[in-house]
Amino acid sequence: MKRNRRAHSRPDALLDSDSIRQLDLLELIFERLPMGVAILDREFHIQRYNATWGSFAARYAPMIGKPLAPGVGYFEHLPGAEEIVLPLFERTLAGETIEANGVRLESGGIVSYWDIFLTPLTARGAVIGILNVAADVTDTVSLRQNLETRVAARTRELRMLLDISAVANSSLNLDETLERTLDLIVELVAASRVGVILRDDATGELQPQLLRPPQRSAPDDLAKILAACQTVIANGKAMYVAPDRAQGLREPGALMPLQIRDRCLGTLVIVGPQGTLFSPAQLALFQSIADQLSVAIENAHLFVKNEQAAVAAERNRLARDLHDAVTQTLFSASMIADVLPKIWERNPEEGRRQLEELRQLTRGALSEMRTLLVELRPAALIDMDLGDLIGHQLNALSARTRLSVEYKRNCVHNPPLEIKDAFYRIAQEAFNNIAKHAEASQISVELHCEPKQTTLMIQDNGVGFEPSLSEHEGMGLKIMQERARNIGATLEIRSRAQAGVRLRIQWQATASRRVGGKLE
């Protein structure tokens, strides 16, 4: 590639020695400048260029363009660059100096990036050409674009990992967690299928748990996958299966162990789209996803176990309540019923008294059962009237303790559910305290339910207590106070030694009082 020397030289005889040295220095700078420099005339023909510009042409000029040489048109040398460069040249010929960074040029399918400086060349006040100075920033821009692409991909992967983590911690329902997590993985890598195979703790066998998108797996394929999962579980290490057409493997596969500490829960299987490979970064991401999923699976298992334990504990509690209350009451009623005919024959008056006792016992047993049903089926609390609920509690208390009970009720309006529940629980706690601690012989209860006010008073003639003494804190007083506070009710408990206890709770709806997040 030839470089034109001076397009117009002046006889050295006309120049003094200092001028000649200056021209030689400018020539040296022009040729060795690390930036490409070219001079174009008004028709954009290249008149002169330096060595750096020539090296740029050797690297980026397409085969379809004319070779670089003095007199060759810029767009003949770089066809296809007109759309970007021509407007810049026209602005320069109009007298404008232009600086632009990262200008993208494409010619003959070759893409390059440039920092450019264009300035008009003038003679006698007229623009006669263009000085074009360019610095090659293609490698820098490519590196930046690659970095941005990698950062964007990594950001997307991290966002997906956060989404998966949020899903894994948002529900303790295993099927729901797995379905949403696997759908996210499918979206992340455009996977053809993603599945979870879990290990049965009791038998040690592997069981396919879920496959997304839903599809039928051929028995032979499933057998191969289960065998590979067994290997992953045995080694505790991930397995990557690269595509191998010779073996009929057209898709990449990754099998990640799902494990908590040293205990393996199963395997996460990810199958990618045909014609692709999983990158090391993707495999690392899959391992992080498997770790998150392992925690979610373990939490779901623990929740199920805790739920089963809670059910068993509740069953045991109900069994104890049935034994302590209903069973003993029915046993006493059965004993009276057995001897009642003989007592009636000998002493009708005593027989009538025992018959009343039998009636009280069966009535108390029925109330006990209804109270237990409220515990078993909370919806019953919605359907039943507050006066009836407290009446069942009193009947059960009377049957258990033989207390003399006086119950007055005036309920013209059933209070809201939250109020009814709080009053029911406070009364339940108060009656339990009377049965366990009061040593009372009689109890009086008054209930008044009006449209915007509910009042309950409970009083016994037992041994009482000093409210200020700390040993009485375990009697449920704090629980009752907290329930009353939660519904905006006032709770008063008055007592003293050997003078019984008087409890009064009152709820009143006001414009400024909130119940359940709503203004009453």
Side-chain angles (χ1 to χ4, degrees):
M1 185 174 296
K2 297 181 180 180
R3 299 191 303 273
N4 186 27
R5 307 301 291 179
R6 298 177 186 173
H8 302 283
S9 62
R10 298 171 60 187
D12 291 344
L14 298 179
L15 300 174
D16 57 27
S17 59
D18 289 338
S19 297
I20 293 173
R21 283 195 296 271
Q22 290 177 0
L23 288 174
D24 290 339
L25 180 60
L26 289 173
E27 180 74 16
L28 181 64
I29 293 173
F30 180 82
E31 290 297 335
R32 296 187 180 182
L33 198 67
M35 294 177 291
V37 181
I39 297 174
L40 286 69
D41 62 16
R42 288 188 62 87
E43 285 72 36
F44 314 130
H45 293 102
I46 301 171
Q47 301 299 312
R48 188 176 179 188
Y49 53 88
N50 67 355
T52 304
W53 188 281
S55 67
F56 291 164
R59 181 177 181 182
Y60 297 113
M63 296 296 293
I64 61 174
K66 286 187 176 182
L68 180 64
V72 172
Y74 182 93
F75 298 114
E76 294 175 326
H77 176 58
L78 296 174
E82 292 90 337
E83 182 178 357
I84 300 298
V85 178
L86 183 57
L88 300 178
F89 282 176
E90 290 175 343
R91 288 166 54 191
T92 306
L93 291 179
E96 183 179 350
T97 295
I98 296 174
E99 292 184 46
N101 296 326
V103 177
R104 182 182 185 275
L105 296 184
E106 182 174 355
S107 178
I110 299 174
V111 177
S112 56
Y113 293 87
W114 306 90
D115 288 347
I116 61 174
F117 174 83
L118 302 175
T119 189
L121 296 175
T122 60
R124 299 183 181 90
V127 176
I128 62 173
I130 299 172
L131 175 66
N132 187 342
V133 181
D136 181 11
V137 294
T138 303
D139 292 340
T140 301
V141 172
S142 297
L143 287 173
R144 184 175 68 246
Q145 289 177 342
N146 289 338
L147 179 60
E148 290 173 352
T149 300
R150 289 162 57 191
V151 168
R154 186 59 177 163
T155 301
R156 180 170 177 265
E157 291 172 354
L158 290 175
R159 185 181 297 111
M160 186 68 69
L161 185 59
L162 289 174
D163 290 342
I164 289 173
S165 177
V167 167
N169 291 285
S170 64
S171 174
L172 291 172
N173 183 294
L174 182 57
D175 290 338
E176 177 184 343
T177 297
L178 290 179
E179 182 175 333
R180 294 172 63 189
T181 300
L182 299 192
D183 285 342
L184 286 173
I185 298 174
V186 170
E187 177 185 347
L188 174 64
V189 295
S192 63
R193 53 197 180 278
V194 181
V196 167
I197 296 176
L198 297 182
R199 180 176 176 271
D200 189 290
D201 289 336
T203 65
E205 295 183 356
L206 295 179
Q207 299 291 337
Q209 185 74 20
L210 188 67
L211 181 65
R212 303 294 292 180
Q215 54 193 276
R216 183 182 297 275
S217 297
D220 291 344
D221 292 342
L222 182 58
K224 292 178 182 178
I225 292 175
L226 290 177
C229 290
Q230 287 284 13
T231 302
V232 170
I233 290 175
N235 297 334
K237 296 181 180 179
M239 176 187 296
Y240 173 60
V241 181
D244 188 344
R245 291 184 176 274
Q247 298 184 12
L249 300 176
R250 300 178 179 273
E251 305 156 318
L255 291 82
M256 320 303 295
L258 300 170
Q259 54 189 11
I260 294 291
R261 294 177 290 277
D262 296 331
R263 187 166 67 89
C264 194
L265 307 174
T267 308
L268 171 65
V269 181
I270 303 174
V271 180
Q274 291 189 21
T276 62
L277 296 172
F278 288 143
S279 67
Q282 285 179 315
L283 293 176
L285 177 64
F286 294 162
Q287 186 60 62
S288 298
I289 292 173
D291 293 341
Q292 290 285 345
L293 200 54
S294 299
V295 173
I297 293 171
E298 180 70 0
N299 287 342
H301 285 168
L302 291 175
F303 175 74
V304 171
K305 290 180 180 178
N306 289 339
E307 194 174 47
Q308 292 173 345
V311 169
E314 185 65 12
R315 285 175 178 171
N316 291 334
R317 185 189 71 80
L318 290 173
R320 287 194 303 270
D321 289 348
L322 284 170
H323 177 269
D324 295 342
V326 180
T327 303
Q328 292 186 8
T329 301
L330 290 177
F331 177 76
S332 298
S334 177
M335 294 290 292
I336 293 175
D338 287 341
V339 300
L340 184 58
K342 296 180 180 179
I343 294 176
W344 196 280
E345 290 179 357
R346 296 178 183 175
N347 188 343
E349 185 64 28
E350 179 63 18
R352 280 189 289 271
R353 192 185 69 79
Q354 291 292 330
L355 184 61
E356 177 61 23
E357 178 73 8
L358 179 61
R359 188 183 71 83
Q360 292 289 343
L361 288 172
T362 54
R363 183 182 178 190
L366 181 60
S367 294
E368 289 277 11
M369 288 299 299
R370 286 175 173 167
T371 301
L372 289 174
L373 286 175
V374 170
E375 301 295 325
L376 284 171
R377 189 171 63 89
L381 197 64
I382 301 175
D383 301 330
M384 294 184 67
D385 181 81
L386 178 60
D388 292 337
L389 289 169
I390 292 178
H392 291 317
Q393 289 182 337
L394 283 171
N395 289 335
L397 176 67
S398 177
R400 289 199 310 267
T401 62
R402 301 297 194 273
L403 280 172
S404 172
V405 174
E406 180 184 3
Y407 182 33
K408 297 179 180 179
R409 54 185 285 188
N410 178 25
C411 285
V412 297
H413 180 82
N414 215 28
L417 177 60
E418 290 174 277
I419 309 305
K420 181 164 59 172
D421 179 74
F423 271 66
Y424 174 81
R425 301 299 176 185
I426 291 172
Q428 188 178 48
E429 187 66 37
F431 295 152
N432 286 336
N433 285 341
I434 291 172
K436 293 178 181 179
H437 308 290
E439 300 179 18
S441 59
Q442 63 182 27
I443 176 175
S444 63
V445 177
E446 291 187 25
L447 176 66
H448 299 276
C449 303
E450 298 175 3
K452 292 189 177 183
Q453 179 174 298
T454 302
T455 305
L456 174 65
M457 291 179 290
I458 303 173
Q459 186 167 354
D460 67 71
N461 65 345
V463 296
F465 65 92
E466 290 292 339
S468 60
L469 296 181
S470 61
E471 59 263 25
H472 295 289
E473 291 182 358
M475 295 172 60
L477 301 183
K478 287 186 175 180
I479 295 176
M480 289 190 284
Q481 290 168 347
E482 183 177 346
R483 289 187 186 278
R485 187 165 52 250
N486 288 341
I487 62 171
T490 58
L491 175 65
E492 297 178 359
I493 300 177
R494 297 182 180 179
S495 178
R496 64 180 183 201
Q498 306 304 320
V501 178
R502 181 178 181 273
L503 178 149
R504 183 179 185 273
I505 176 173
Q506 184 176 65
W507 170 82
Q508 186 170 1
T510 64
S512 60
R513 195 181 300 276
R514 289 182 177 270
V515 176
K518 297 180 179 179
L519 286 175
E520 288 289 342

